[in-house]
Amino acid sequence: MTLFSPREPGVLLWRGFTLQEFANQCFGNKADYGKGRQMPIHYGSNKLNYFTVSSTIATQIPHAVGAAYSLKMDKKDACAVTYFGDGGTSEGDFHAAMNFAAVTESPVIFICRNNGWAISTPTSDQFRSDGIAVRGQAYGVRSIRVDGNDALAMYSAVRSARQMAVNEHRPILIEAVTYRVGHHSTSDDSTKYRPADEIEWWRMARDPVTRFRKWIEINGWWGSEAESQLRSSIRSQLLHAIQIAERAEKPPVNDLFTDVYDNIPSNLREQEKLLKETINRHPKDYPADVPI
Ligand SMILES: Cc1ncc(C[n+]2csc(CCOP(=O)(O)OP(=O)(O)O)c2C)c(N)n1
């Protein structure tokens, strides 16, 4: 079971989520597993044990411990893993989750991406501890700090953490030290609060993809021809998936009211009726491709 922030689509891709499934979620069409009720990039997949992404920072951390505790009670040879940023560790949920995991000895891996920034707030304005790993240790959680821009170091740390979590039934915290080279989101301009040359240094000297690519090229497993073929093939697959997702039918309006209550309460029935009456009165103001 894996519990996420919106920054881990790579994990989902690795588990086999298709580009079409990604596109369906982003367009909130009828094939989206969230039935169009989530913001874009808030993926989820029952099949791939991928809990739907939560926007609210850090809420996924105690949920992961709960999932891990239940795996332990069911005596499953499995663990839960959750991802969050350095900003997430400033939330109460992080601290409650650490303690809960330590005392219940639950098999959970906490992966913290310490990228130095929570939007425009640098870590120096968030905490005075020596990073995140010491915070895990303070709660009695085995913790390790890794170069988060070294793919092989991360692989090795996560692999060992999984073995420990599953075989020894214990929580593990991994602090991946990295940097957010992009802006926080498309509505952010990070050059307003950090020097452009700092961003450039991380982009040029420390980029994890470039480093990994260099390593596979040196070993003769990859080259520029394979790279450009892969890039153009993925680009056309992605454009194809987007075209299909864009054209697909939207989920029916009724789906807004399902999946929470077994028997829909009277106030929601009333809202449903009101919504349909309003759509019937102002049909031009509602998207024509949403079935009523
Ligand atoms: C409880 C809560 N407070 C504020 C926000 C607004 N917000 C969205 S992302 C973000 C910063 C997150 O920083 P971090 O946890 O370090 O993750 P990063 O974006 O760097 O990966 C904030 C404050 C939110 N989503 N939830």
Side-chain angles (χ1 to χ4, degrees):
M1 173 57 73
T2 321
L3 297 94
F4 295 95
S5 86
R7 295 225 191 270
E8 286 82 29
V11 177
L12 199 46
L13 194 62
W14 181 81
R15 285 189 185 183
F17 209 62
T18 63
L19 294 181
Q20 193 59 60
E21 289 174 302
F22 279 103
N24 291 340
Q25 198 285 329
C26 289
F27 282 88
N29 66 24
K30 212 173 168 185
D32 165 31
Y33 305 125
K35 302 184 182 176
R37 294 183 290 210
Q38 281 281 356
M39 287 200 296
I41 73 162
H42 287 57
Y43 312 107
S45 166
N46 281 345
K47 193 174 119 205
L48 301 173
N49 288 340
Y50 192 103
F51 207 82
T52 302
V53 168
S54 161
S55 251
T56 330
I57 295 175
T59 51
Q60 73 275 21
I61 316 176
H63 294 167
V65 184
Y69 191 34
S70 114
L71 290 172
K72 179 179 172 171
M73 287 195 296
D74 292 344
K75 300 196 174 6
K76 296 250 172 76
D77 281 336
C79 66
V81 57
T82 183
Y83 296 71
F84 46 92
D86 44 274
T89 71
S90 298
E91 291 284 347
D93 273 347
F94 165 78
H95 298 272
M98 284 293 131
N99 196 52
F100 183 25
V103 295
T104 57
E105 295 180 341
S106 295
V108 51
I109 306 173
F110 301 103
I111 301 184
C112 176
R113 289 172 279 90
N114 180 356
N115 65 15
W117 295 91
I119 313 186
S120 55
T121 307
T123 45
S124 56
D125 282 353
Q126 286 190 66
F127 48 76
R128 293 295 157 100
S129 58
D130 175 18
I132 316 294
V134 290
R135 301 177 140 199
Q137 281 162 358
Y139 284 104
V141 172
R142 210 170 201 192
S143 307
I144 184 171
R145 175 181 284 167
V146 186
D147 177 354
N149 285 10
D150 180 340
L152 296 176
M154 277 305 289
Y155 177 76
S156 152
V158 174
R159 194 184 156 86
S160 305
R162 190 183 183 282
Q163 276 164 0
M164 276 181 226
V166 174
N167 300 338
E168 299 170 32
H169 286 112
R170 61 194 299 177
I172 318 281
L173 168 72
I174 298 174
E175 175 185 5
V177 180
T178 182
Y179 187 82
R180 197 197 74 217
V181 288
H183 302 305
H184 173 75
S185 65
T186 47
S187 57
D188 176 40
D189 174 5
S190 62
T191 58
K192 296 262 188 286
Y193 52 80
R194 57 184 189 173
D197 56 354
E198 176 183 300
I199 306 173
E200 232 15 61
W201 183 78
W202 281 90
R203 197 192 300 280
M204 299 309 293
R206 310 291 302 162
D207 183 82
V209 178
T210 310
R211 279 169 78 182
F212 188 73
R213 189 178 153 191
K214 260 189 201 152
W215 181 70
I216 53 176
E217 282 183 350
I218 286 166
N219 281 288
W221 302 326
W222 198 247
S224 44
E225 201 181 312
E227 176 84 12
S228 66
Q229 267 173 16
L230 181 71
R231 280 183 185 271
S232 78
S233 147
I234 288 176
R235 191 182 150 77
S236 60
Q237 288 175 49
L238 202 52
L239 288 174
H240 182 66
I242 289 171
Q243 275 166 6
I244 291 181
E246 210 171 10
R247 283 200 298 261
E249 198 182 334
K250 298 286 185 207
V253 163
N254 263 15
D255 276 0
L256 274 176
F257 299 93
T258 56
D259 294 340
V260 175
Y261 296 101
D262 189 15
N263 294 311
I264 298 182
S266 58
N267 63 329
L268 280 189
R269 286 257 174 251
E270 215 174 290
Q271 285 181 30
E272 191 180 354
K273 187 165 159 275
L274 197 67
L275 177 66
K276 282 188 183 159
E277 284 168 7
T278 314
I279 295 174
N280 286 335
R281 262 205 312 276
H282 306 281
K284 285 202 192 104
D285 293 330
Y286 282 85
D289 59 344
V290 178
I292 297 164

